[in-house]
Amino acid sequence: MARRGGELEAFIAFLGGLLAAGSAALAMAVVGVAVRPTPALRTAALVTLGAVWLTATTTVYWRLRARTR
């Protein structure tokens, strides 16, 4: 019986994106301890985390969908 929909792939991709963003946030927190962050740097960090999450989630999803076809 073939599985349809891609819900499992989407969930795995979501978790992969969270893992990537969490790793980036941890690295940014370590750097933030050593360097006093400015408001502009904080904004840049949030934008970067959003971009990392979106990119990782999309990439993992596309790769998983390609593998199931």
Short mmCIF file of all heavy atoms in Angstrom, two decimals:
data_model
loop_
_atom_site.label_atom_id
_atom_site.label_comp_id
_atom_site.label_asym_id
_atom_site.label_seq_id
_atom_site.Cartn_x
_atom_site.Cartn_y
_atom_site.Cartn_z
N MET A 1 0.84 -1.18 0.00
CA MET A 1 0.00 0.00 0.00
C MET A 1 0.89 1.25 0.00
O MET A 1 1.75 1.40 0.86
CB MET A 1 -0.88 -0.02 1.24
CG MET A 1 -1.87 1.10 1.28
SD MET A 1 -3.11 0.72 2.51
CE MET A 1 -3.04 2.17 3.46
N ALA A 2 0.71 2.12 -0.95
CA ALA A 2 1.53 3.32 -1.08
C ALA A 2 1.01 4.42 -0.15
O ALA A 2 -0.19 4.58 0.03
CB ALA A 2 1.51 3.81 -2.52
N ARG A 3 1.94 5.15 0.41
CA ARG A 3 1.59 6.25 1.29
C ARG A 3 1.53 7.53 0.48
O ARG A 3 2.32 7.76 -0.42
CB ARG A 3 2.68 6.36 2.37
CG ARG A 3 2.24 7.06 3.59
CD ARG A 3 3.28 6.92 4.70
NE ARG A 3 4.64 7.18 4.27
CZ ARG A 3 5.17 8.40 4.12
NH1 ARG A 3 4.43 9.46 4.34
NH2 ARG A 3 6.42 8.54 3.73
N ARG A 4 0.56 8.39 0.77
CA ARG A 4 0.41 9.64 0.03
C ARG A 4 0.38 10.82 0.99
O ARG A 4 0.16 10.65 2.17
CB ARG A 4 -0.90 9.64 -0.76
CG ARG A 4 -0.91 8.67 -1.89
CD ARG A 4 -2.23 8.78 -2.62
NE ARG A 4 -2.22 7.91 -3.76
CZ ARG A 4 -2.49 8.32 -4.98
NH1 ARG A 4 -2.79 9.56 -5.21
NH2 ARG A 4 -2.46 7.47 -5.98
N GLY A 5 0.56 11.99 0.46
CA GLY A 5 0.36 13.20 1.23
C GLY A 5 1.63 13.90 1.65
O GLY A 5 1.72 15.10 1.58
N GLY A 6 2.61 13.18 2.14
CA GLY A 6 3.86 13.79 2.56
C GLY A 6 3.85 14.37 3.96
O GLY A 6 4.70 15.20 4.29
N GLU A 7 2.88 13.98 4.79
CA GLU A 7 2.82 14.52 6.14
C GLU A 7 4.04 14.12 6.97
O GLU A 7 4.58 14.94 7.73
CB GLU A 7 1.55 14.07 6.87
CG GLU A 7 0.28 14.67 6.33
CD GLU A 7 -0.31 13.86 5.20
OE1 GLU A 7 0.19 12.75 4.93
OE2 GLU A 7 -1.26 14.34 4.57
N LEU A 8 4.48 12.88 6.84
CA LEU A 8 5.65 12.43 7.59
C LEU A 8 6.90 13.19 7.15
O LEU A 8 7.69 13.64 8.00
CB LEU A 8 5.86 10.92 7.40
CG LEU A 8 7.05 10.33 8.15
CD1 LEU A 8 6.87 10.50 9.65
CD2 LEU A 8 7.19 8.86 7.79
N GLU A 9 7.05 13.39 5.87
CA GLU A 9 8.20 14.14 5.37
C GLU A 9 8.17 15.58 5.87
O GLU A 9 9.20 16.14 6.24
CB GLU A 9 8.24 14.13 3.84
CG GLU A 9 8.61 12.80 3.24
CD GLU A 9 7.43 11.87 3.05
OE1 GLU A 9 6.31 12.22 3.47
OE2 GLU A 9 7.64 10.78 2.50
N ALA A 10 6.98 16.18 5.89
CA ALA A 10 6.86 17.56 6.37
C ALA A 10 7.21 17.66 7.85
O ALA A 10 7.88 18.60 8.28
CB ALA A 10 5.44 18.07 6.12
N PHE A 11 6.77 16.69 8.64
CA PHE A 11 7.07 16.71 10.07
C PHE A 11 8.57 16.52 10.31
O PHE A 11 9.17 17.23 11.14
CB PHE A 11 6.27 15.61 10.79
CG PHE A 11 6.52 15.57 12.27
CD1 PHE A 11 6.07 16.60 13.07
CD2 PHE A 11 7.18 14.51 12.84
CE1 PHE A 11 6.30 16.58 14.44
CE2 PHE A 11 7.42 14.47 14.20
CZ PHE A 11 6.96 15.51 15.01
N ILE A 12 9.19 15.59 9.61
CA ILE A 12 10.63 15.37 9.76
C ILE A 12 11.40 16.62 9.33
O ILE A 12 12.38 17.02 9.97
CB ILE A 12 11.07 14.13 8.97
CG1 ILE A 12 10.48 12.88 9.60
CG2 ILE A 12 12.58 14.04 8.89
CD1 ILE A 12 10.66 11.62 8.78
N ALA A 13 10.95 17.26 8.25
CA ALA A 13 11.61 18.48 7.78
C ALA A 13 11.46 19.60 8.80
O ALA A 13 12.41 20.35 9.06
CB ALA A 13 11.02 18.91 6.43
N PHE A 14 10.30 19.70 9.42
CA PHE A 14 10.07 20.71 10.46
C PHE A 14 11.03 20.50 11.62
O PHE A 14 11.67 21.44 12.12
CB PHE A 14 8.62 20.65 10.94
CG PHE A 14 8.32 21.57 12.09
CD1 PHE A 14 8.19 22.93 11.90
CD2 PHE A 14 8.16 21.06 13.37
CE1 PHE A 14 7.92 23.78 12.96
CE2 PHE A 14 7.90 21.89 14.43
CZ PHE A 14 7.77 23.25 14.23
N LEU A 15 11.16 19.25 12.06
CA LEU A 15 12.09 18.94 13.16
C LEU A 15 13.53 19.21 12.76
O LEU A 15 14.33 19.70 13.57
CB LEU A 15 11.92 17.49 13.61
CG LEU A 15 10.60 17.17 14.32
CD1 LEU A 15 10.57 15.70 14.69
CD2 LEU A 15 10.40 18.04 15.53
N GLY A 16 13.88 18.90 11.52
CA GLY A 16 15.23 19.19 11.04
C GLY A 16 15.52 20.68 11.03
O GLY A 16 16.61 21.12 11.38
N GLY A 17 14.53 21.46 10.63
CA GLY A 17 14.68 22.92 10.66
C GLY A 17 14.84 23.45 12.06
O GLY A 17 15.65 24.35 12.32
N LEU A 18 14.08 22.89 13.00
CA LEU A 18 14.21 23.30 14.39
C LEU A 18 15.59 22.94 14.95
O LEU A 18 16.19 23.71 15.70
CB LEU A 18 13.13 22.65 15.25
CG LEU A 18 11.75 23.25 15.18
CD1 LEU A 18 10.79 22.51 16.11
CD2 LEU A 18 11.77 24.72 15.53
N LEU A 19 16.08 21.77 14.58
CA LEU A 19 17.41 21.36 15.03
C LEU A 19 18.48 22.30 14.49
O LEU A 19 19.39 22.72 15.22
CB LEU A 19 17.69 19.92 14.60
CG LEU A 19 19.04 19.36 14.99
CD1 LEU A 19 19.15 19.27 16.50
CD2 LEU A 19 19.23 17.99 14.38
N ALA A 20 18.39 22.64 13.22
CA ALA A 20 19.37 23.55 12.63
C ALA A 20 19.29 24.94 13.26
O ALA A 20 20.32 25.55 13.59
CB ALA A 20 19.14 23.65 11.12
N ALA A 21 18.08 25.45 13.46
CA ALA A 21 17.92 26.77 14.07
C ALA A 21 18.37 26.75 15.52
O ALA A 21 18.97 27.72 16.01
CB ALA A 21 16.48 27.23 13.96
N GLY A 22 18.09 25.67 16.22
CA GLY A 22 18.54 25.56 17.61
C GLY A 22 20.05 25.52 17.72
O GLY A 22 20.63 26.13 18.62
N SER A 23 20.69 24.81 16.81
CA SER A 23 22.16 24.77 16.81
C SER A 23 22.74 26.15 16.51
O SER A 23 23.71 26.58 17.15
CB SER A 23 22.65 23.78 15.76
OG SER A 23 22.20 22.49 16.06
N ALA A 24 22.13 26.85 15.57
CA ALA A 24 22.60 28.20 15.25
C ALA A 24 22.36 29.15 16.42
O ALA A 24 23.20 30.00 16.73
CB ALA A 24 21.89 28.71 13.99
N ALA A 25 21.22 29.00 17.10
CA ALA A 25 20.93 29.85 18.25
C ALA A 25 21.91 29.60 19.39
O ALA A 25 22.35 30.54 20.07
CB ALA A 25 19.50 29.61 18.73
N LEU A 26 22.27 28.35 19.60
CA LEU A 26 23.25 28.03 20.63
C LEU A 26 24.61 28.66 20.30
O LEU A 26 25.26 29.24 21.18
CB LEU A 26 23.39 26.51 20.77
CG LEU A 26 24.32 26.02 21.85
CD1 LEU A 26 23.85 26.49 23.22
CD2 LEU A 26 24.40 24.51 21.82
N ALA A 27 25.02 28.57 19.05
CA ALA A 27 26.27 29.19 18.64
C ALA A 27 26.21 30.71 18.81
O ALA A 27 27.18 31.34 19.27
CB ALA A 27 26.59 28.83 17.19
N MET A 28 25.07 31.31 18.47
CA MET A 28 24.93 32.75 18.63
C MET A 28 24.93 33.14 20.10
O MET A 28 25.43 34.21 20.48
CB MET A 28 23.65 33.23 17.95
CG MET A 28 23.71 33.23 16.46
SD MET A 28 22.15 33.78 15.79
CE MET A 28 22.41 33.47 14.06
N ALA A 29 24.36 32.32 20.96
CA ALA A 29 24.36 32.60 22.39
C ALA A 29 25.77 32.57 22.96
O ALA A 29 26.13 33.41 23.80
CB ALA A 29 23.47 31.60 23.12
N VAL A 30 26.57 31.63 22.50
CA VAL A 30 27.97 31.55 22.95
C VAL A 30 28.73 32.80 22.51
O VAL A 30 29.48 33.39 23.29
CB VAL A 30 28.64 30.26 22.42
CG1 VAL A 30 30.14 30.29 22.64
CG2 VAL A 30 28.02 29.05 23.09
N VAL A 31 28.51 33.22 21.28
CA VAL A 31 29.17 34.44 20.78
C VAL A 31 28.63 35.66 21.53
O VAL A 31 29.38 36.58 21.85
CB VAL A 31 28.96 34.59 19.26
CG1 VAL A 31 29.41 35.95 18.77
CG2 VAL A 31 29.70 33.48 18.52
N GLY A 32 27.34 35.66 21.84
CA GLY A 32 26.73 36.78 22.56
C GLY A 32 27.28 36.95 23.96
O GLY A 32 27.25 38.06 24.50
N VAL A 33 27.78 35.88 24.57
CA VAL A 33 28.39 35.99 25.89
C VAL A 33 29.72 36.73 25.79
O VAL A 33 30.07 37.52 26.67
CB VAL A 33 28.58 34.58 26.51
CG1 VAL A 33 29.44 34.64 27.75
CG2 VAL A 33 27.23 33.96 26.81
N ALA A 34 30.45 36.49 24.73
CA ALA A 34 31.77 37.11 24.55
C ALA A 34 31.68 38.55 24.04
O ALA A 34 32.52 39.38 24.36
CB ALA A 34 32.61 36.28 23.61
N VAL A 35 30.66 38.84 23.25
CA VAL A 35 30.52 40.16 22.63
C VAL A 35 29.20 40.77 23.09
O VAL A 35 28.16 40.10 23.10
CB VAL A 35 30.51 40.03 21.09
CG1 VAL A 35 30.30 41.38 20.43
CG2 VAL A 35 31.77 39.37 20.60
N ARG A 36 29.23 42.02 23.47
CA ARG A 36 27.98 42.68 23.89
C ARG A 36 27.13 42.97 22.65
O ARG A 36 27.51 43.77 21.80
CB ARG A 36 28.28 43.97 24.63
CG ARG A 36 27.01 44.67 25.09
CD ARG A 36 27.29 45.84 25.98
NE ARG A 36 27.84 45.44 27.26
CZ ARG A 36 27.10 45.11 28.32
NH1 ARG A 36 25.80 45.10 28.21
NH2 ARG A 36 27.66 44.78 29.46
N PRO A 37 25.96 42.30 22.54
CA PRO A 37 25.14 42.49 21.34
C PRO A 37 24.41 43.83 21.34
O PRO A 37 23.89 44.27 22.35
CB PRO A 37 24.15 41.33 21.40
CG PRO A 37 24.11 40.90 22.82
CD PRO A 37 25.42 41.29 23.43
N THR A 38 24.41 44.46 20.20
CA THR A 38 23.67 45.71 20.00
C THR A 38 22.28 45.36 19.47
O THR A 38 22.04 44.23 19.05
CB THR A 38 24.40 46.60 18.98
OG1 THR A 38 24.43 45.92 17.73
CG2 THR A 38 25.82 46.92 19.43
N PRO A 39 21.35 46.31 19.50
CA PRO A 39 20.01 46.02 18.94
C PRO A 39 20.06 45.60 17.47
O PRO A 39 19.30 44.73 17.05
CB PRO A 39 19.25 47.34 19.12
CG PRO A 39 19.92 48.00 20.29
CD PRO A 39 21.38 47.61 20.18
N ALA A 40 20.95 46.20 16.70
CA ALA A 40 21.06 45.82 15.28
C ALA A 40 21.58 44.39 15.16
O ALA A 40 21.13 43.63 14.29
CB ALA A 40 21.99 46.78 14.54
N LEU A 41 22.50 44.01 16.02
CA LEU A 41 23.04 42.65 15.99
C LEU A 41 21.98 41.64 16.41
O LEU A 41 21.89 40.55 15.85
CB LEU A 41 24.27 42.56 16.90
CG LEU A 41 25.10 41.30 16.82
CD1 LEU A 41 25.61 41.10 15.40
CD2 LEU A 41 26.25 41.37 17.80
N ARG A 42 21.16 42.00 17.37
CA ARG A 42 20.06 41.12 17.78
C ARG A 42 19.06 40.92 16.65
O ARG A 42 18.59 39.81 16.42
CB ARG A 42 19.36 41.69 19.01
CG ARG A 42 20.17 41.58 20.25
CD ARG A 42 19.42 42.11 21.44
NE ARG A 42 20.30 42.14 22.59
CZ ARG A 42 20.11 42.89 23.63
NH1 ARG A 42 19.06 43.69 23.70
NH2 ARG A 42 20.96 42.87 24.63
N THR A 43 18.74 41.99 15.96
CA THR A 43 17.83 41.88 14.83
C THR A 43 18.41 41.01 13.73
O THR A 43 17.72 40.16 13.17
CB THR A 43 17.51 43.28 14.27
OG1 THR A 43 16.95 44.08 15.32
CG2 THR A 43 16.54 43.21 13.12
N ALA A 44 19.68 41.21 13.45
CA ALA A 44 20.35 40.39 12.44
C ALA A 44 20.36 38.92 12.85
O ALA A 44 20.19 38.03 12.01
CB ALA A 44 21.78 40.88 12.22
N ALA A 45 20.54 38.66 14.14
CA ALA A 45 20.54 37.28 14.62
C ALA A 45 19.16 36.64 14.44
O ALA A 45 19.06 35.48 14.03
CB ALA A 45 20.96 37.23 16.09
N LEU A 46 18.11 37.37 14.74
CA LEU A 46 16.75 36.83 14.56
C LEU A 46 16.44 36.56 13.10
O LEU A 46 15.84 35.53 12.76
CB LEU A 46 15.72 37.78 15.16
CG LEU A 46 15.69 37.83 16.69
CD1 LEU A 46 14.72 38.92 17.15
CD2 LEU A 46 15.32 36.49 17.26
N VAL A 47 16.84 37.46 12.23
CA VAL A 47 16.62 37.26 10.80
C VAL A 47 17.41 36.05 10.31
O VAL A 47 16.90 35.22 9.54
CB VAL A 47 17.00 38.53 10.01
CG1 VAL A 47 17.03 38.27 8.52
CG2 VAL A 47 16.03 39.65 10.33
N THR A 48 18.64 35.92 10.80
CA THR A 48 19.47 34.77 10.42
C THR A 48 18.86 33.46 10.90
O THR A 48 18.83 32.47 10.16
CB THR A 48 20.89 34.93 10.98
OG1 THR A 48 21.44 36.15 10.48
CG2 THR A 48 21.77 33.77 10.60
N LEU A 49 18.35 33.44 12.12
CA LEU A 49 17.71 32.22 12.63
C LEU A 49 16.49 31.85 11.81
O LEU A 49 16.26 30.67 11.51
CB LEU A 49 17.33 32.40 14.10
CG LEU A 49 18.47 32.35 15.09
CD1 LEU A 49 17.94 32.64 16.50
CD2 LEU A 49 19.17 31.02 15.05
N GLY A 50 15.70 32.84 11.43
CA GLY A 50 14.54 32.57 10.59
C GLY A 50 14.95 32.02 9.23
O GLY A 50 14.33 31.08 8.71
N ALA A 51 15.99 32.59 8.66
CA ALA A 51 16.47 32.11 7.36
C ALA A 51 17.04 30.70 7.46
O ALA A 51 16.81 29.87 6.57
CB ALA A 51 17.52 33.08 6.81
N VAL A 52 17.76 30.42 8.54
CA VAL A 52 18.31 29.07 8.73
C VAL A 52 17.18 28.06 8.87
O VAL A 52 17.21 26.99 8.26
CB VAL A 52 19.24 29.03 9.97
CG1 VAL A 52 19.53 27.61 10.41
CG2 VAL A 52 20.53 29.76 9.68
N TRP A 53 16.18 28.39 9.67
CA TRP A 53 15.06 27.46 9.86
C TRP A 53 14.33 27.20 8.55
O TRP A 53 14.06 26.06 8.19
CB TRP A 53 14.09 28.00 10.91
CG TRP A 53 12.91 27.13 11.07
CD1 TRP A 53 12.85 25.96 11.74
CD2 TRP A 53 11.61 27.33 10.50
NE1 TRP A 53 11.58 25.42 11.64
CE2 TRP A 53 10.82 26.24 10.88
CE3 TRP A 53 11.06 28.33 9.70
CZ2 TRP A 53 9.49 26.13 10.49
CZ3 TRP A 53 9.74 28.22 9.32
CH2 TRP A 53 8.97 27.12 9.73
N LEU A 54 14.01 28.26 7.82
CA LEU A 54 13.28 28.11 6.57
C LEU A 54 14.10 27.34 5.53
O LEU A 54 13.57 26.42 4.88
CB LEU A 54 12.90 29.48 6.01
CG LEU A 54 12.08 29.49 4.74
CD1 LEU A 54 10.75 28.80 4.96
CD2 LEU A 54 11.86 30.90 4.26
N THR A 55 15.36 27.65 5.41
CA THR A 55 16.20 26.98 4.42
C THR A 55 16.38 25.50 4.76
O THR A 55 16.26 24.64 3.89
CB THR A 55 17.58 27.67 4.34
OG1 THR A 55 17.38 29.04 4.02
CG2 THR A 55 18.46 27.01 3.31
N ALA A 56 16.65 25.21 6.02
CA ALA A 56 16.85 23.81 6.42
C ALA A 56 15.57 23.00 6.26
O ALA A 56 15.59 21.87 5.76
CB ALA A 56 17.34 23.74 7.86
N THR A 57 14.45 23.57 6.65
CA THR A 57 13.18 22.86 6.53
C THR A 57 12.84 22.57 5.07
O THR A 57 12.48 21.44 4.72
CB THR A 57 12.04 23.68 7.17
OG1 THR A 57 12.35 23.91 8.54
CG2 THR A 57 10.71 22.99 7.07
N THR A 58 13.00 23.56 4.23
CA THR A 58 12.69 23.38 2.81
C THR A 58 13.63 22.37 2.16
O THR A 58 13.18 21.50 1.40
CB THR A 58 12.80 24.73 2.08
OG1 THR A 58 11.93 25.67 2.73
CG2 THR A 58 12.40 24.61 0.64
N THR A 59 14.91 22.45 2.48
CA THR A 59 15.88 21.53 1.88
C THR A 59 15.62 20.09 2.30
O THR A 59 15.62 19.18 1.46
CB THR A 59 17.31 21.95 2.27
OG1 THR A 59 17.52 23.29 1.84
CG2 THR A 59 18.34 21.03 1.64
N VAL A 60 15.38 19.88 3.59
CA VAL A 60 15.12 18.52 4.07
C VAL A 60 13.83 17.98 3.44
O VAL A 60 13.78 16.82 3.01
CB VAL A 60 15.04 18.49 5.61
CG1 VAL A 60 14.53 17.14 6.11
CG2 VAL A 60 16.39 18.79 6.21
N TYR A 61 12.81 18.80 3.35
CA TYR A 61 11.53 18.35 2.76
C TYR A 61 11.72 17.95 1.30
O TYR A 61 11.25 16.89 0.88
CB TYR A 61 10.47 19.43 2.89
CG TYR A 61 9.14 19.02 2.32
CD1 TYR A 61 8.35 18.09 2.98
CD2 TYR A 61 8.69 19.53 1.12
CE1 TYR A 61 7.13 17.69 2.47
CE2 TYR A 61 7.48 19.15 0.59
CZ TYR A 61 6.70 18.22 1.27
OH TYR A 61 5.50 17.83 0.74
N TRP A 62 12.39 18.79 0.53
CA TRP A 62 12.60 18.47 -0.90
C TRP A 62 13.40 17.19 -1.06
O TRP A 62 13.11 16.38 -1.94
CB TRP A 62 13.31 19.61 -1.60
CG TRP A 62 12.42 20.78 -1.94
CD1 TRP A 62 11.07 20.81 -1.93
CD2 TRP A 62 12.85 22.08 -2.32
NE1 TRP A 62 10.62 22.05 -2.28
CE2 TRP A 62 11.69 22.85 -2.53
CE3 TRP A 62 14.10 22.65 -2.51
CZ2 TRP A 62 11.75 24.18 -2.93
CZ3 TRP A 62 14.15 23.98 -2.89
CH2 TRP A 62 12.99 24.72 -3.10
N ARG A 63 14.42 17.01 -0.25
CA ARG A 63 15.23 15.79 -0.35
C ARG A 63 14.42 14.54 0.02
O ARG A 63 14.56 13.50 -0.61
CB ARG A 63 16.47 15.89 0.50
CG ARG A 63 17.49 16.83 -0.09
CD ARG A 63 18.72 16.89 0.78
NE ARG A 63 19.73 17.67 0.12
CZ ARG A 63 20.90 17.20 -0.23
NH1 ARG A 63 21.22 15.96 0.01
NH2 ARG A 63 21.77 17.98 -0.83
N LEU A 64 13.61 14.64 1.06
CA LEU A 64 12.80 13.49 1.46
C LEU A 64 11.73 13.18 0.41
O LEU A 64 11.45 12.02 0.14
CB LEU A 64 12.14 13.76 2.82
CG LEU A 64 13.07 13.70 4.03
CD1 LEU A 64 12.32 14.13 5.27
CD2 LEU A 64 13.65 12.31 4.20
N ARG A 65 11.13 14.20 -0.16
CA ARG A 65 10.11 13.98 -1.20
C ARG A 65 10.72 13.36 -2.45
O ARG A 65 10.13 12.51 -3.08
CB ARG A 65 9.39 15.28 -1.55
CG ARG A 65 8.50 15.81 -0.48
CD ARG A 65 7.34 14.92 -0.18
NE ARG A 65 6.42 14.95 -1.31
CZ ARG A 65 5.38 14.20 -1.45
NH1 ARG A 65 5.07 13.33 -0.53
NH2 ARG A 65 4.62 14.29 -2.51
N ALA A 66 11.93 13.79 -2.80
CA ALA A 66 12.60 13.23 -3.97
C ALA A 66 12.96 11.78 -3.74
O ALA A 66 12.92 10.97 -4.66
CB ALA A 66 13.86 14.05 -4.28
N ARG A 67 13.30 11.43 -2.52
CA ARG A 67 13.69 10.06 -2.21
C ARG A 67 12.48 9.11 -2.26
O ARG A 67 12.62 7.96 -2.63
CB ARG A 67 14.30 10.01 -0.81
CG ARG A 67 14.79 8.62 -0.45
CD ARG A 67 15.39 8.58 0.91
NE ARG A 67 16.61 9.40 0.92
CZ ARG A 67 17.30 9.65 2.01
NH1 ARG A 67 16.90 9.18 3.15
NH2 ARG A 67 18.40 10.37 1.94
N THR A 68 11.29 9.59 -1.92
CA THR A 68 10.11 8.73 -1.90
C THR A 68 9.49 8.54 -3.29
O THR A 68 8.63 7.71 -3.45
CB THR A 68 9.04 9.28 -0.93
OG1 THR A 68 8.65 10.59 -1.35
CG2 THR A 68 9.57 9.32 0.48
N ARG A 69 9.92 9.33 -4.26
CA ARG A 69 9.34 9.21 -5.60
C ARG A 69 10.12 8.27 -6.45
O ARG A 69 11.11 7.83 -6.34
CB ARG A 69 9.28 10.57 -6.27
CG ARG A 69 8.25 11.41 -5.60
CD ARG A 69 8.15 12.75 -6.26
NE ARG A 69 7.21 13.52 -5.46
CZ ARG A 69 6.49 14.49 -5.94
NH1 ARG A 69 6.59 14.83 -7.17
NH2 ARG A 69 5.67 15.15 -5.17
#
